[in-house]
Amino acid sequence: MPWWKEEPWRMIQTNLREIDMQDLSAERFVADLKDFHATVVLLNAAGISAGYDTKLPYHSKNPYLTGDSLERIVDLCHENGIRVIARADFSKVKKNVYEMHPEWAFRTEHGDVMEQNGFIQTCLCGDYQQKFAFEILEELFGRIPFDGLYCNMGGFQTRDYEFRDYGFCHCRSCREAFRSYSGKELPVQRDSSDPVWSEYENFQKYMLTDYRKRMTSFLKDISGEICFDDVDYARIEAATEVSTRLPHWIYHASSNCRAIIGDGTSGIICSNTSVSYPGYGLRHASVSPALHAMRLWQNMANLGALDYYLIGRLDTATDRSAFETVKRIFAFREKHDAVYRNLHSTASVLLRRKDRWVATEEEKGWIRVLTEAHIPFAEILPDAMRQADLTRYRVVILADEGKLERQEGDMIDKYVLQGGIVIASGLNRIREYSNGSGEPEFLKSSGILKLEREDRQAMSAQLFLEKEEKQAFPFLSGHRCGSSGRYLLFPGA
C-alpha cells in the first residue's frame, strides 16, 4: 500500500518566495514542521523558479540559493518522518524565457500575452507544458527524492491574479490542436448556444485529461511511491478574498471536502487547505484564528485531511496570530489519529455540484439547509456522478443544474423508476436542443413535456394543479409524502 494510504496526512504548505531560500536552515525548517505536528510539507521546487541547481536551459534558477539546499531539506524531513511534495508551476515563465520562446505563451484573440510583474502566462497546448515540463520533472525527481508532486495553476487559465479576464487562448498551438481535434477553427466567442463553443469545452476537457494521464504515467514510471495531485490526493482551498462581497461562505471547507470525496469510491485524499491570508493583495497578513479553526474542524468532520497554507517560511512569518490555533488542532488530530482513520460517509442524501471550485448560490442554499438541519449528506461533481451508484442514496438533489449530460439524465430517470427521490430546484434539463426539434429536452422523470414560455422577469412563481392532476402527486394529500419514486419540482424565479 502506498505511503499516503498508510500514513496520517497533516500538511503544511510553505509557498516560498525566491528570497526565502537565501538563509534557509534545514534544521529550523524541520523543527518548525515538527512543532506544528505536520507529517507532510509542500515545498517549492521547479517551474517558474528552480529551487535547485538546474542544468536545463529555459528553467530559470533562483538567484538566492545560498541557504540549505532542497536536497538537504528533503533528506532531513525524511529522517524525521515527514513526507515532502514538490510544488511546480508551469503556468508562467520569466520574461527572458518568453523572449526566447514566444510561441509558448498564452495569446488573446488580438495576439497579446497575459503578463503580470514580468511573468508571462504559458499555454497548456504549447511545447513548454507539453514537452519541456517533463524534462524539468525528470531532472528534479532524478536529483531529489520527493514523495509527491503538485502542479500549481494548471489547465486553461484565463485570468491573472488581479482577476482580469483575458478570454480563452488563441495561440497557434491551441488553434492547431483544436483543428486536429474537431476539424474546426476556434469559436468566435464564449457562447453556450454555439455548438462550436460546446465542442471547444469538450476539447479542453480532453486536453486536460490526456495531460494528466501522461503526467501520471510519467511519475509512476519513476516510482509508484510518488503521489500526484488529483490522482492520489486532491488539493483544494478554503480561502477568502477581500474584494468579494460579504458575507464570505462559512461552509467553504466542509463543502470542499464533500465535493472532492464524492461517494467515497475513489479513495482520494482531500487536502483542503486553510489559506492563511485574506486576499491576494494581503498575503502576509492572516485571517482570524477562529476562521482557521472553523475550516480545520470542518475538514475533520467531513473526512478531509488537515492542511494549512502560508506565504513564506514559518520562522520568518510576520503574522503568526493563527499559529497556536493551527498547532492545537493538528495535535488533536495526531492524538486521535486511530479514531479518524478509515472513516467513510453513511449519508443518504446526495447533492450534485456543478463545479469543483465554486458552489452556486442555489447549491449554497441547499448546503446551508442540510447542514443546519443536521442532515448528513454527500456532495458529488459531474464526472464522479456519472460513475456513481445512486441507489445508495434515499434522496438526490439537483440544485438549478441547468444542462445535464444525457448519461446523467438517464441515470436520474432510472433512479426514480427504481424508487429513488429526486428534488430539483430551478432549471434541470438533459441538454438543450438535443432532440433535433429545437426545443430543450427535459428529464423524463420531471413530468415536464414541453417548454411553453420562459419568463426571467418574475421574482417567483407558484405551480397550481387541477383537482384531477393532484392524483398524480399523492404526497400532496394531507401535506404528507406518499409512495417512493417521486420527483418534487420547486418552481422559482
Side-chain angles (χ1 to χ4, degrees):
M1 185 178 292
W3 66 265
W4 56 89
K5 296 289 188 182
E6 294 184 308
E7 301 173 15
W9 186 290
R10 299 186 296 275
M11 184 154 80
I12 299 292
Q13 300 187 30
T14 52
N15 193 350
L16 303 182
R17 303 161 298 172
E18 287 188 328
I19 58 174
D20 288 317
M21 297 295 291
Q22 188 169 238
D23 58 349
L24 180 59
S25 163
E27 286 75 14
R28 177 61 190 271
F29 187 79
V30 173
D32 286 334
L33 293 175
K34 292 175 67 176
D35 195 34
F36 271 80
H37 305 269
T39 60
V40 186
V41 63
L42 182 64
L43 190 58
N44 298 57
I48 297 174
S49 180
Y52 64 99
D53 188 19
T54 179
K55 304 301 181 184
L56 292 172
Y58 318 122
H59 192 201
S60 302
K61 179 182 171 182
N62 181 350
Y64 298 95
L65 297 180
T66 55
D68 283 338
S69 67
L70 283 184
E71 291 91 333
R72 171 64 180 149
I73 296 168
V74 172
D75 286 344
L76 194 58
C77 281
H78 287 166
E79 290 174 17
N80 286 272
I82 299 170
R83 299 288 184 171
V84 190
I85 295 176
R87 182 183 186 275
D89 193 329
F90 302 115
S91 69
K92 300 170 185 66
V93 291
K94 293 184 178 180
K95 194 166 186 177
N96 66 308
V97 175
Y98 156 73
E99 289 171 346
M100 289 184 282
H101 281 282
E103 74 277 10
W104 289 348
F106 167 102
R107 298 283 177 177
T108 69
E109 61 178 320
H110 303 296
D112 300 323
V113 300
M114 188 192 305
E115 178 180 2
Q116 193 168 27
N117 300 325
F119 296 92
I120 311 297
Q121 185 78 25
T122 65
C123 176
L124 177 69
C125 295
D127 280 352
Y128 179 72
Q129 293 200 43
Q130 290 290 325
K131 297 179 180 179
F132 192 64
F134 289 85
E135 295 180 29
I136 292 174
L137 293 175
E138 184 174 22
E139 180 188 61
L140 176 68
F141 282 93
R143 293 185 52 172
I144 307 173
F146 282 103
D147 302 290
L149 175 67
Y150 166 69
C151 290
N152 187 55
M153 294 291 285
F156 291 88
Q157 299 295 327
T158 62
R159 298 189 303 174
D160 62 19
Y161 281 105
E162 294 179 22
F163 303 105
R164 290 175 296 201
D165 195 333
Y166 292 75
F168 57 96
C169 184
H170 290 70
C171 75
R172 178 183 294 180
S173 297
C174 273
R175 295 198 306 269
E176 291 177 351
F178 183 63
R179 194 180 299 120
S180 175
Y181 172 83
S182 67
K184 300 180 177 69
E185 298 302 319
L186 290 174
V188 176
Q189 60 186 356
R190 295 168 176 155
D191 182 356
S192 59
S193 65
D194 180 4
V196 179
W197 174 254
S198 297
E199 196 160 9
Y200 177 71
E201 290 183 310
N202 291 333
F203 159 75
Q204 287 189 325
K205 293 177 184 177
Y206 167 79
M207 291 297 296
L208 285 166
T209 300
D210 178 70
Y211 189 75
R212 187 155 296 280
K213 284 181 178 178
R214 288 173 52 220
M215 186 70 77
T216 302
S217 177
F218 175 83
L219 293 170
K220 300 302 182 181
D221 283 346
I222 296 173
S223 172
E225 289 294 299
I226 297 174
C227 64
F228 186 34
D229 181 44
D230 277 355
V231 175
D232 305 301
Y233 73 98
R235 181 193 178 278
I236 194 167
E237 298 181 354
T240 60
E241 178 51 55
V242 292
S243 62
T244 58
R245 187 181 65 181
L246 293 173
H248 290 150
W249 179 223
I250 63 170
Y251 298 120
H252 199 173
S254 56
S255 183
N256 280 353
C257 291
R258 286 190 298 265
I260 293 297
I261 292 168
D263 63 355
T265 56
S266 70
I268 199 168
I269 294 169
C270 177
S271 195
N272 177 64
T273 191
S274 182
V275 177
S276 177
Y277 50 81
Y280 281 135
L282 301 167
R283 290 189 169 198
H284 297 288
S286 176
V287 298
S288 72
L291 180 54
H292 282 299
M294 182 175 69
R295 293 168 178 169
L296 294 172
W297 291 125
Q298 284 184 13
N299 280 14
M300 280 197 287
N302 291 275
L303 310 182
L306 291 185
D307 192 325
Y308 171 65
Y309 162 40
L310 78 161
I311 298 293
R313 299 187 339 222
L314 293 166
D315 63 320
T316 57
T318 54
D319 188 342
R320 308 184 189 191
S321 58
F323 277 19
E324 291 307 313
T325 295
V326 175
K327 290 177 185 178
R328 175 172 56 85
I329 297 172
F330 272 49
F332 176 90
R333 180 65 174 82
E334 179 181 40
K335 181 178 179 180
H336 300 286
D337 180 64
V339 176
Y340 284 93
R341 280 187 178 235
N342 301 317
L343 297 179
H344 64 277
S345 172
T346 58
S348 60
V349 175
L350 181 67
L351 171 68
R352 182 188 186 273
R353 275 266 305 272
K354 284 182 186 178
D355 183 77
R356 166 178 174 162
W357 292 98
V358 181
T360 67
E361 293 304 306
E362 187 76 11
E363 290 164 353
K364 287 179 181 178
W366 279 106
I367 291 166
R368 182 181 291 277
V369 166
L370 293 166
T371 300
E372 296 175 6
H374 302 285
I375 298 173
F377 67 104
E379 299 179 42
I380 195 164
L381 297 172
D383 286 345
M385 185 163 175
R386 284 189 278 272
Q387 308 298 321
D389 177 10
L390 299 185
T391 61
R392 292 175 49 189
Y393 300 94
R394 188 170 61 88
V395 177
V396 172
I397 299 174
L398 305 176
D400 198 17
E401 299 300 342
K403 294 190 296 184
L404 299 172
E405 296 288 347
R406 179 170 294 281
Q407 180 184 349
E408 282 186 273
D410 291 343
M411 286 177 62
I412 292 164
D413 286 340
K414 181 179 179 182
Y415 167 72
V416 172
L417 286 173
Q418 292 174 332
I421 301 171
V422 172
I423 300 177
S425 57
L427 294 173
N428 287 280
R429 302 168 177 172
I430 294 180
R431 179 178 285 282
E432 291 190 83
Y433 315 118
S434 63
N435 58 8
S437 66
E439 295 293 331
E441 184 177 352
F442 292 90
L443 292 164
K444 293 182 176 64
S445 51
S446 71
I448 300 173
L449 302 179
K450 185 179 180 181
L451 177 65
E452 294 284 354
R453 184 170 60 90
E454 194 167 9
D455 186 349
R456 296 182 179 271
Q457 302 302 315
M459 179 180 293
S460 63
Q462 285 182 291
L463 178 67
F464 290 92
L465 301 177
E466 299 294 339
K467 183 176 181 180
E468 58 273 15
E469 291 175 324
K470 291 184 179 181
Q471 297 176 7
F473 299 93
F475 65 92
L476 291 175
S477 176
H479 304 288
R480 297 182 62 186
C481 292
S483 61
S484 61
R486 303 181 297 277
Y487 191 106
L488 311 184
L489 180 65
F490 294 164

